[in-house]
Amino acid sequence: MTRAIRVRAFAKINLSLQVLGARSDGYHELRTTFQSLALHDTLTCRARPGPFQIVCDEEACPSGESNLVWRAAERLWASAGRRGLPRDVAVRINKRIPIAAGLGGGSSDAAAAIRALAALWRVELSTARARKTAAALGADVPFFLDGGTALGVGRGDVLRRLADAPPAWVTLVVPAFGVSTPDAYRWFDADANEVSEAANDLEAPVAAHHPEIAHLVAALRREGASQAAMSGSGSAVFGLFTRRAAAAAAARAVSARGRRVIVTRTLDRAGYARLGRARRVR
Ligand code: C5P
């Protein structure tokens, strides 16, 4: 009998992101509000003999050790008490979350892999252990264990649950370029004296290198978004709308060749727990 586990990995936006200062460990001290979105990748972990393998339907998605799913597998394998490298499982990633966009796709895939591989290998992970494993993979990864609306401090990995934000339709605009997270923080450090009105402190320094970001934020506001900002370290920009039709109209207004425009919804914590659960498939 082949055994397989399927799990959804949801995207996030940052409703706000304050950079409080540089830390001695190369990271920055943050205060950010994370919000889960219904937009998701799907991971299928299938038991089969042979070396560990990642297959992704998106060319730009790494299939080797630089994929956080690989590192999640190594840690889970050790937690399962196995020696050597993980094996006998293939992970297929259906990628729908744009890459290098500030939407947390890679981090969410890693957290989803923790859930799925724990189920496949029957590892009982305590909440504390899951958190520790997640935080070792990346600053954003712990958020994706619970999702919903949460405050992140420290590197963004010290979390406090917040009351669910009011449900909203979300228009995501992803420019043709991506932004690397270390670059965004470097640009922030280089003009740390600039004052900005943006909800996201990384927005102005990233927009200084990529003016399209500021144009898109302005365009979403003109379309009636109750809030518009860059997500995380970019390049994606989001607008929040009460009505689906308004989100769809904004999507049409900003669509252009080379851009990806996606209309999705916010996802609350209960929805995240229900829809993000690891499920057995044939
Ligand atoms: O933890 P993660 O690998 O996602 O972080 C990628 C990079 O982003 C870090 O190496 C660092 O340069 C930057 N970063 C930061 N402060 C944070 C989160 C990320 O400077 N709180």
Side-chain angles (χ1 to χ4, degrees), residues 19 21-23 25-30 68 71 107 135-141 153-157 180-186 189 233:
V19 184
R23 300 164 34 135
D25 62 0
Y27 278 83
H28 289 72
E29 197 69 17
L30 299 187
L68 283 183
R71 290 172 40 210
S107 299
L137 296 172
D140 272 2
V141 183
V153 298
R155 298 182 307 150
D157 56 340
S180 99
T181 303
D183 279 352
Y185 282 97
R186 252 197 307 278
D189 289 337
S233 52

Side-chain angles (χ1 to χ4, degrees), residues 53-106:
Q53 188 189 27
I54 297 174
V55 183
C56 187
D57 59 357
E58 153 83 65
E59 240 179 276
C61 167
S63 58
E65 291 173 38
S66 64
N67 193 314
L68 283 183
V69 167
W70 192 290
R71 290 172 40 210
E74 286 178 338
R75 284 175 183 273
L76 255 286
W77 186 256
S79 296
R82 316 273 190 96
R83 262 189 280 267
L85 295 173
R87 54 176 298 109
D88 300 334
V89 60
V91 182
R92 197 182 75 220
I93 306 175
N94 280 108
K95 197 94 202 126
R96 290 200 295 177
I97 305 173
I99 291 171
L103 299 171

